[in-house]
Amino acid sequence: MLIAAERTAPHSDVSPRAAPADYDLVCRAVEFVTEQRLAQPSLAEVAAHVGLSTSHFHRLFRRWAGVSPKLFLQALTLDHAKGLLRQSASVIDAAYEVGLSGESRLHDLFVTHEAMTPGTYKRGGEGLDIAYGFHSSPFGIALLMASPLGLVSLAFVDGAGDRTRVLQEMQARWPRASYTHAPERTASCAARIFAGASDGQASVDIVLIGTDFEIRVWRALLKVPRGCAVSYGDVARDLGCPSAARAVGRAVGRNPIAFVVPCHRVVGASGALTGYHWGLTRKRVLLGFEAARLAR
C-alpha cells in the first residue's frame, strides 16, 4: 500500500466558458439521442427535446464542445466505441514503446514520482491535511480535494443537493484525514484542469492514495491516449495479471480522481460502455467530447 505523487498535464482543450446549465442541457440531449438512436433523431428534434430553437441549441453546443452536435453525437455510437477498442491494443503498446507520451493524449508523462509511507493509506489518511471546494466544470459541478502535495480527489456532483453525499463519500476514503472547506485553495487546480494554461504547458500534481494494486491500475489509466478505449482485460494484461479483469474493474470504480485519471476510457470487452461511478450519461459525454475534438 502506498501513496504516489505524480504530475500530469491539464486538459487544456476544455472550454472554460461552459456553465453547469450547459452541461445539463448536453446531458438531456445525449440521453435523448441514446434512447432514440435507432430513429436517428434530427438536430431539430434534439433541440426541441431540450426546449431550445435549432439555432440556439447548435450555438450552445458548439460553444460547449467546440464541434457541431452532429459530429459529437456521431462520436457517441456504440460502433465508435467498438472501433476505439479494436485499436486500443496497438495504441497502448505504441504508447509504452515511446515513453507514454504523444500529441494524441490528454496527459503528458508525469515528471515527478514520489512513493510515500505505505502506512498513510492503512491508517485512513491520518496526518493528511486536505482542503476541498466545489467548482464549476464543463461536466457539472466538481468536488476537488487537495493536500499540500497535490490533488487527491476529483468527484462530480449531480445537483446542489448532492454535494453532501459526494463529500461524505470521498471523505470516507480517508476517514482520519483532516478536512477544511477552502475553495480558494482548490480553485487554481480546478482552473488548470478544466480551462488549461494558455501555453498548454502547465501541470497539476496528483497524489494517488490506495492499495498497491489500485495505484498500479490508476497509473495504467493515465497511459491511455485520448480518443482511445481499453477493456478491463487490456489493463489486466498490461499489468501482467491477465486473469484479474474483475479486480481491475473494482479498482477502476474506486478511482478517486475522475477525469484526470481517465477511468471513463475503460469499456467492456464488447465495446459496451458498461458502468461509470459518476453516471453512464457523463461517461458518454466525456468519451464523445474527447472523440469529437480529435475528429475536428
Side-chain angles (χ1 to χ4, degrees), residues 109-122:
L109 180 67
F110 63 83
V111 296
T112 62
H113 170 258
E114 183 178 359
M116 299 183 64
T117 306
T120 302
Y121 171 75
K122 186 176 182 180

Side-chain angles (χ1 to χ4, degrees), residues 19-237:
D22 293 349
Y23 172 72
D24 291 341
L25 287 169
V26 169
C27 280
R28 288 172 57 194
V30 167
E31 289 172 344
F32 176 71
V33 171
T34 301
E35 294 169 357
Q36 303 295 324
R37 60 186 179 276
L38 296 180
Q40 291 292 295
S42 66
L43 174 63
E45 290 172 323
V46 180
H49 178 76
V50 298
L52 298 176
S53 68
T54 302
S55 59
H56 187 181
F57 177 66
H58 191 273
R59 287 195 303 271
L60 180 148
F61 205 96
R62 284 195 65 90
R63 184 173 72 247
W64 182 86
V67 295
S68 70
K70 181 178 180 180
L71 182 57
F72 181 87
L73 295 174
Q74 285 175 345
L76 293 173
T77 63
L78 181 59
D79 285 342
H80 184 75
K82 288 180 178 178
L84 294 176
L85 188 60
R86 285 194 295 270
Q87 300 169 30
S88 65
S90 60
V91 172
I92 200 167
D93 287 346
Y96 274 94
E97 289 295 324
V98 301
L100 312 175
S101 62
E103 294 181 358
S104 66
R105 60 200 303 275
L106 275 180
H107 303 276
D108 289 335
L109 180 67
F110 63 83
V111 296
T112 62
H113 170 258
E114 183 178 359
M116 299 183 64
T117 306
T120 302
Y121 171 75
K122 186 176 182 180
R123 294 193 302 269
E126 184 177 1
L128 280 178
D129 176 21
I130 298 178
Y132 70 89
F134 293 90
H135 303 277
S136 294
S137 86
F139 312 107
I141 298 297
L143 166 65
L144 277 75
M145 292 181 166
S147 76
L149 293 173
L151 184 71
V152 300
S153 177
L154 193 160
F156 289 110
V157 176
D158 291 314
D162 199 34
R163 294 190 182 200
T164 299
R165 181 192 66 80
V166 173
L167 176 61
Q168 290 176 344
E169 176 187 336
M170 300 314 297
Q171 288 177 328
R173 302 286 187 98
W174 314 291
R176 297 182 181 177
S178 174
Y179 294 93
T180 303
H181 180 228
E184 68 279 3
R185 290 168 57 184
T186 52
S188 62
C189 188
R192 294 164 80 183
I193 292 170
F194 294 118
S198 58
D199 61 3
Q201 297 301 312
S203 60
V204 56
D205 293 323
I206 64 172
V207 182
L208 302 177
I209 306 175
T211 66
D212 293 340
F213 184 76
E214 285 173 342
I215 290 176
R216 289 176 63 199
V217 171
W218 300 337
R219 283 175 173 164
L221 299 184
L222 284 168
K223 301 165 186 175
V224 181
R226 175 179 55 176
C228 293
V230 295
S231 70
Y232 301 100
D234 288 335
V235 176
R237 285 188 290 274

